[in-house]
mmCIF file of all heavy atoms in Angstrom:
data_model
loop_
_atom_site.group_PDB
_atom_site.id
_atom_site.type_symbol
_atom_site.label_atom_id
_atom_site.label_comp_id
_atom_site.label_asym_id
_atom_site.label_seq_id
_atom_site.Cartn_x
_atom_site.Cartn_y
_atom_site.Cartn_z
ATOM 1 N N HIS A 448 -1.566 13.650 25.130
ATOM 2 C CA HIS A 448 -0.452 14.588 25.328
ATOM 3 C C HIS A 448 -0.968 15.939 25.808
ATOM 4 O O HIS A 448 -0.352 16.569 26.687
ATOM 5 C CB HIS A 448 0.313 14.737 24.021
ATOM 6 C CG HIS A 448 1.488 15.655 24.116
ATOM 7 N ND1 HIS A 448 2.617 15.373 24.862
ATOM 8 C CD2 HIS A 448 1.706 16.889 23.560
ATOM 9 C CE1 HIS A 448 3.467 16.369 24.773
ATOM 10 N NE2 HIS A 448 2.948 17.292 23.989
ATOM 11 N N GLN A 449 -2.076 16.374 25.243
ATOM 12 C CA GLN A 449 -2.655 17.650 25.674
ATOM 13 C C GLN A 449 -3.100 17.580 27.127
ATOM 14 O O GLN A 449 -2.871 18.510 27.909
ATOM 15 C CB GLN A 449 -3.836 18.007 24.766
ATOM 16 C CG GLN A 449 -4.481 19.339 25.106
ATOM 17 C CD GLN A 449 -5.644 19.673 24.186
ATOM 18 O OE1 GLN A 449 -5.988 18.871 23.308
ATOM 19 N NE2 GLN A 449 -6.266 20.810 24.382
ATOM 20 N N LEU A 450 -3.722 16.459 27.495
ATOM 21 C CA LEU A 450 -4.152 16.311 28.882
ATOM 22 C C LEU A 450 -2.952 16.247 29.822
ATOM 23 O O LEU A 450 -2.988 16.819 30.920
ATOM 24 C CB LEU A 450 -4.994 15.036 29.026
ATOM 25 C CG LEU A 450 -6.369 15.039 28.328
ATOM 26 C CD1 LEU A 450 -7.055 13.695 28.512
ATOM 27 C CD2 LEU A 450 -7.252 16.160 28.871
ATOM 28 N N SER A 451 -1.888 15.563 29.378
ATOM 29 C CA SER A 451 -0.702 15.492 30.228
ATOM 30 C C SER A 451 -0.061 16.861 30.395
ATOM 31 O O SER A 451 0.459 17.190 31.476
ATOM 32 C CB SER A 451 0.298 14.493 29.658
ATOM 33 O OG SER A 451 0.789 14.937 28.403
ATOM 34 N N GLN A 452 -0.083 17.675 29.339
ATOM 35 C CA GLN A 452 0.447 19.032 29.452
ATOM 36 C C GLN A 452 -0.416 19.879 30.392
ATOM 37 O O GLN A 452 0.117 20.686 31.166
ATOM 38 C CB GLN A 452 0.514 19.680 28.070
ATOM 39 C CG GLN A 452 1.649 19.155 27.191
ATOM 40 C CD GLN A 452 1.741 19.889 25.881
ATOM 41 O OE1 GLN A 452 0.723 20.295 25.314
ATOM 42 N NE2 GLN A 452 2.955 20.049 25.378
ATOM 43 N N GLU A 453 -1.735 19.674 30.305
ATOM 44 C CA GLU A 453 -2.618 20.402 31.223
ATOM 45 C C GLU A 453 -2.359 19.974 32.668
ATOM 46 O O GLU A 453 -2.359 20.809 33.584
ATOM 47 C CB GLU A 453 -4.075 20.137 30.836
ATOM 48 C CG GLU A 453 -4.474 20.749 29.500
ATOM 49 C CD GLU A 453 -5.916 20.448 29.140
ATOM 50 O OE1 GLU A 453 -6.628 19.882 29.993
ATOM 51 O OE2 GLU A 453 -6.332 20.767 28.011
ATOM 52 N N LEU A 454 -2.150 18.668 32.859
ATOM 53 C CA LEU A 454 -1.831 18.197 34.205
ATOM 54 C C LEU A 454 -0.503 18.793 34.677
ATOM 55 O O LEU A 454 -0.384 19.225 35.837
ATOM 56 C CB LEU A 454 -1.762 16.674 34.210
ATOM 57 C CG LEU A 454 -1.311 16.022 35.526
ATOM 58 C CD1 LEU A 454 -2.286 16.356 36.643
ATOM 59 C CD2 LEU A 454 -1.181 14.515 35.361
ATOM 60 N N GLU A 455 0.483 18.820 33.779
ATOM 61 C CA GLU A 455 1.777 19.404 34.140
ATOM 62 C C GLU A 455 1.629 20.878 34.506
ATOM 63 O O GLU A 455 2.298 21.372 35.429
ATOM 64 C CB GLU A 455 2.739 19.240 32.961
ATOM 65 C CG GLU A 455 4.162 19.626 33.259
ATOM 66 C CD GLU A 455 5.083 19.366 32.083
ATOM 67 O OE1 GLU A 455 4.658 18.665 31.138
ATOM 68 O OE2 GLU A 455 6.219 19.870 32.107
ATOM 69 N N TYR A 456 0.741 21.591 33.793
ATOM 70 C CA TYR A 456 0.507 23.000 34.112
ATOM 71 C C TYR A 456 -0.195 23.145 35.476
ATOM 72 O O TYR A 456 0.143 24.032 36.277
ATOM 73 C CB TYR A 456 -0.335 23.635 33.015
ATOM 74 C CG TYR A 456 -0.751 25.057 33.293
ATOM 75 C CD1 TYR A 456 0.147 26.114 33.121
ATOM 76 C CD2 TYR A 456 -2.036 25.350 33.736
ATOM 77 C CE1 TYR A 456 -0.234 27.416 33.391
ATOM 78 C CE2 TYR A 456 -2.426 26.650 34.001
ATOM 79 C CZ TYR A 456 -1.517 27.693 33.831
ATOM 80 O OH TYR A 456 -1.901 28.986 34.092
ATOM 81 N N LEU A 457 -1.141 22.246 35.744
ATOM 82 C CA LEU A 457 -1.864 22.326 37.017
ATOM 83 C C LEU A 457 -0.972 21.981 38.196
ATOM 84 O O LEU A 457 -1.203 22.464 39.314
ATOM 85 C CB LEU A 457 -3.082 21.382 36.977
ATOM 86 C CG LEU A 457 -4.211 21.767 36.029
ATOM 87 C CD1 LEU A 457 -5.291 20.692 36.011
ATOM 88 C CD2 LEU A 457 -4.819 23.112 36.424
ATOM 89 N N LEU A 458 0.033 21.149 37.973
ATOM 90 C CA LEU A 458 0.925 20.793 39.068
ATOM 91 C C LEU A 458 1.690 22.004 39.599
ATOM 92 O O LEU A 458 2.092 22.034 40.771
ATOM 93 C CB LEU A 458 1.913 19.713 38.618
ATOM 94 C CG LEU A 458 1.311 18.324 38.344
ATOM 95 C CD1 LEU A 458 2.380 17.377 37.813
ATOM 96 C CD2 LEU A 458 0.674 17.755 39.608
ATOM 97 N N HIS A 459 1.905 23.001 38.748
ATOM 98 C CA HIS A 459 2.578 24.220 39.204
ATOM 99 C C HIS A 459 1.726 24.987 40.210
ATOM 100 O O HIS A 459 2.256 25.817 40.960
ATOM 101 C CB HIS A 459 2.907 25.122 38.015
ATOM 102 C CG HIS A 459 4.012 24.613 37.155
ATOM 103 N ND1 HIS A 459 5.348 24.753 37.484
ATOM 104 C CD2 HIS A 459 3.991 23.935 35.977
ATOM 105 C CE1 HIS A 459 6.096 24.201 36.550
ATOM 106 N NE2 HIS A 459 5.298 23.694 35.617
ATOM 107 N N GLU A 460 0.422 24.711 40.213
ATOM 108 C CA GLU A 460 -0.482 25.422 41.125
ATOM 109 C C GLU A 460 -0.604 24.721 42.473
ATOM 110 O O GLU A 460 -1.354 25.185 43.338
ATOM 111 C CB GLU A 460 -1.874 25.528 40.482
ATOM 112 C CG GLU A 460 -1.873 26.156 39.097
ATOM 113 C CD GLU A 460 -1.395 27.591 39.132
ATOM 114 O OE1 GLU A 460 -1.650 28.275 40.143
ATOM 115 O OE2 GLU A 460 -0.746 28.031 38.151
ATOM 116 N N VAL A 461 0.088 23.615 42.632
ATOM 117 C CA VAL A 461 0.021 22.872 43.908
ATOM 118 C C VAL A 461 1.255 23.233 44.739
ATOM 119 O O VAL A 461 2.369 22.781 44.439
ATOM 120 C CB VAL A 461 -0.033 21.350 43.652
ATOM 121 C CG1 VAL A 461 -0.159 20.601 44.979
ATOM 122 C CG2 VAL A 461 -1.200 21.007 42.744
ATOM 123 N N PHE A 477 -3.127 16.023 44.181
ATOM 124 C CA PHE A 477 -3.794 16.309 42.904
ATOM 125 C C PHE A 477 -4.597 15.119 42.375
ATOM 126 O O PHE A 477 -5.032 15.125 41.231
ATOM 127 C CB PHE A 477 -2.764 16.740 41.842
ATOM 128 C CG PHE A 477 -1.743 15.698 41.496
ATOM 129 C CD1 PHE A 477 -1.977 14.784 40.470
ATOM 130 C CD2 PHE A 477 -0.544 15.612 42.189
ATOM 131 C CE1 PHE A 477 -1.030 13.833 40.146
ATOM 132 C CE2 PHE A 477 0.409 14.657 41.862
ATOM 133 C CZ PHE A 477 0.164 13.765 40.832
ATOM 134 N N PHE A 480 -8.135 15.879 40.941
ATOM 135 C CA PHE A 480 -8.318 16.659 39.726
ATOM 136 C C PHE A 480 -9.100 15.825 38.716
ATOM 137 O O PHE A 480 -8.870 14.622 38.549
ATOM 138 C CB PHE A 480 -6.978 17.059 39.122
ATOM 139 C CG PHE A 480 -6.223 18.088 39.938
ATOM 140 C CD1 PHE A 480 -4.935 18.460 39.588
ATOM 141 C CD2 PHE A 480 -6.794 18.692 41.055
ATOM 142 C CE1 PHE A 480 -4.234 19.394 40.324
ATOM 143 C CE2 PHE A 480 -6.103 19.625 41.790
ATOM 144 C CZ PHE A 480 -4.819 19.973 41.437
ATOM 145 N N ILE A 482 -8.904 15.973 35.588
ATOM 146 C CA ILE A 482 -8.039 15.563 34.480
ATOM 147 C C ILE A 482 -7.225 14.318 34.851
ATOM 148 O O ILE A 482 -6.860 13.527 33.977
ATOM 149 C CB ILE A 482 -7.109 16.729 34.081
ATOM 150 C CG1 ILE A 482 -6.470 16.429 32.726
ATOM 151 C CG2 ILE A 482 -6.033 16.958 35.134
ATOM 152 C CD1 ILE A 482 -5.709 17.595 32.188
ATOM 153 N N THR A 483 -6.967 14.108 36.131
ATOM 154 C CA THR A 483 -6.213 12.938 36.561
ATOM 155 C C THR A 483 -6.980 11.654 36.288
ATOM 156 O O THR A 483 -6.396 10.614 35.965
ATOM 157 C CB THR A 483 -5.892 13.047 38.054
ATOM 158 O OG1 THR A 483 -5.231 14.290 38.304
ATOM 159 C CG2 THR A 483 -4.994 11.906 38.506
ATOM 160 N N LEU A 486 -6.510 10.062 32.712
ATOM 161 C CA LEU A 486 -5.200 9.578 32.282
ATOM 162 C C LEU A 486 -4.851 8.280 32.980
ATOM 163 O O LEU A 486 -5.284 8.027 34.112
ATOM 164 C CB LEU A 486 -4.121 10.632 32.586
ATOM 165 C CG LEU A 486 -4.299 11.987 31.885
ATOM 166 C CD1 LEU A 486 -3.251 12.977 32.385
ATOM 167 C CD2 LEU A 486 -4.206 11.831 30.386
ATOM 168 N N THR A 487 -4.051 7.498 32.321
ATOM 169 C CA THR A 487 -3.578 6.240 32.894
ATOM 170 C C THR A 487 -2.422 6.524 33.851
ATOM 171 O O THR A 487 -1.780 7.583 33.783
ATOM 172 C CB THR A 487 -3.105 5.292 31.778
ATOM 173 O OG1 THR A 487 -2.014 5.903 31.069
ATOM 174 C CG2 THR A 487 -4.240 5.001 30.799
ATOM 175 N N VAL A 490 0.845 7.574 32.072
ATOM 176 C CA VAL A 490 0.864 8.949 31.555
ATOM 177 C C VAL A 490 1.028 9.939 32.700
ATOM 178 O O VAL A 490 1.757 10.938 32.589
ATOM 179 C CB VAL A 490 -0.421 9.225 30.757
ATOM 180 C CG1 VAL A 490 -0.448 10.672 30.270
ATOM 181 C CG2 VAL A 490 -0.525 8.276 29.570
ATOM 182 N N ILE A 491 0.362 9.674 33.812
ATOM 183 C CA ILE A 491 0.503 10.557 34.985
ATOM 184 C C ILE A 491 1.941 10.560 35.475
ATOM 185 O O ILE A 491 2.509 11.622 35.780
ATOM 186 C CB ILE A 491 -0.460 10.099 36.096
ATOM 187 C CG1 ILE A 491 -1.919 10.298 35.643
ATOM 188 C CG2 ILE A 491 -0.196 10.875 37.383
ATOM 189 C CD1 ILE A 491 -2.938 9.768 36.636
ATOM 190 N N ALA A 492 2.540 9.385 35.542
ATOM 191 C CA ALA A 492 3.930 9.294 35.992
ATOM 192 C C ALA A 492 4.866 10.038 35.041
ATOM 193 O O ALA A 492 5.805 10.712 35.472
ATOM 194 C CB ALA A 492 4.339 7.827 36.112
ATOM 195 N N ALA A 494 4.067 12.600 33.021
ATOM 196 C CA ALA A 494 3.843 14.043 33.166
ATOM 197 C C ALA A 494 4.472 14.563 34.458
ATOM 198 O O ALA A 494 5.076 15.643 34.473
ATOM 199 C CB ALA A 494 2.343 14.338 33.140
ATOM 200 N N TYR A 495 4.341 13.796 35.532
ATOM 201 C CA TYR A 495 4.921 14.230 36.805
ATOM 202 C C TYR A 495 6.445 14.244 36.723
ATOM 203 O O TYR A 495 7.097 15.129 37.297
ATOM 204 C CB TYR A 495 4.452 13.307 37.926
ATOM 205 C CG TYR A 495 4.937 13.729 39.289
ATOM 206 C CD1 TYR A 495 4.286 14.738 40.001
ATOM 207 C CD2 TYR A 495 6.058 13.144 39.876
ATOM 208 C CE1 TYR A 495 4.734 15.145 41.253
ATOM 209 C CE2 TYR A 495 6.516 13.534 41.121
ATOM 210 C CZ TYR A 495 5.848 14.543 41.800
ATOM 211 O OH TYR A 495 6.309 14.950 43.040
ATOM 212 N N PHE A 498 7.437 17.340 34.918
ATOM 213 C CA PHE A 498 7.227 18.481 35.819
ATOM 214 C C PHE A 498 8.349 18.567 36.851
ATOM 215 O O PHE A 498 8.879 19.655 37.117
ATOM 216 C CB PHE A 498 5.864 18.335 36.498
ATOM 217 C CG PHE A 498 5.679 19.231 37.680
ATOM 218 C CD1 PHE A 498 5.461 20.596 37.518
ATOM 219 C CD2 PHE A 498 5.744 18.723 38.968
ATOM 220 C CE1 PHE A 498 5.302 21.425 38.618
ATOM 221 C CE2 PHE A 498 5.585 19.549 40.070
ATOM 222 C CZ PHE A 498 5.365 20.900 39.889
#
Side-chain angles (χ1 to χ4, degrees):
H448 181 67
Q449 182 180 2
L450 292 178
S451 65
Q452 286 184 325
E453 292 179 7
L454 175 61
E455 188 177 347
Y456 175 78
L457 292 176
L458 291 176
H459 288 280
E460 306 297 327
V461 182
F477 63 90
F480 290 174
I482 194 172
T483 306
L486 299 174
T487 61
V490 177
I491 294 175
Y495 183 81
F498 165 74

